[in-house]
Amino acid sequence: MSETHTGRCSCGAVSFRAHGELRGVVYCHCSQCRRQTGHFLASTNVSDDKLEVSGAEKVTWFHSSGDAKRGFCSLCGSGLFWKHGKLDYTSILAGAFDKPSGLAGKAHIFVADKGDYYDIHDDLAQYQRSSADVVVAGD
């Protein structure tokens, strides 16, 4: 039996079901993610064919670069997704999942671009840009 993870935006207009194993949470400290979230972005991902979105018509997509777009609820503004145009999976913001999420941290990326108002105090791997298994816009 496949594991199913559920989540939603703040107002409930958009909800999702992710089926199967999720990647460990990657914390992105790039300036785009910090501006979108107000801090750094924490996300996992799932194959597109294992993601069901209810209320998808309420998701507004902002093309933040030539390669990627960010999806948020058009009613409440909750950030939900990050999608690279050339990949067959979607990143989902970790905070959008219902508890218990079963998620655990994996790594920090773009640490050279992190905010100057905080430090990273865990033992997770840190990458100046990205790791070999985390594709980002521009790669």
Side-chain angles (χ1 to χ4, degrees):
M1 182 173 177
S2 177
E3 188 174 6
T4 299
H5 310 270
T6 60
R8 64 182 182 84
C9 66
S10 292
C11 72
V14 180
S15 62
F16 60 85
R17 299 172 72 78
H19 303 281
E21 186 176 351
L22 300 173
R23 181 196 67 202
V25 174
V26 172
Y27 303 98
C28 184
H29 301 268
C30 79
S31 61
Q32 284 188 8
C33 286
R34 287 188 294 107
R35 290 181 195 286
Q36 179 192 15
T37 66
H39 195 36
F40 54 83
L41 183 132
S43 68
T44 184
N45 67 29
V46 67
S47 175
D48 290 340
D49 64 345
K50 294 184 178 181
L51 177 62
E52 298 173 47
V53 179
S54 297
E57 70 280 1
K58 299 284 194 267
V59 176
T60 295
W61 290 95
F62 169 68
H63 292 265
S64 53
S65 73
D67 296 326
K69 59 186 180 179
R70 298 166 186 271
F72 59 94
C73 174
S74 62
L75 298 179
C76 67
S78 294
L80 297 166
F81 308 113
W82 183 90
K83 177 75 178 142
H84 192 289
K86 297 177 183 172
L87 301 176
D88 62 353
Y89 61 82
T90 298
S91 293
I92 306 170
L93 277 64
F97 283 90
D98 298 325
K99 290 199 267 184
S101 70
L103 295 171
K106 176 179 178 172
H108 295 270
I109 61 174
F110 288 93
V111 296
D113 199 26
K114 76 171 198 58
D116 59 0
Y117 59 91
Y118 65 92
D119 294 312
I120 300 170
H121 292 291
D122 59 38
D123 294 327
L124 298 176
Q126 295 185 26
Y127 300 94
Q128 294 300 302
R129 180 164 163 73
S130 188
S131 66
D133 62 341
V134 178
V135 178
V136 296
D139 280 358

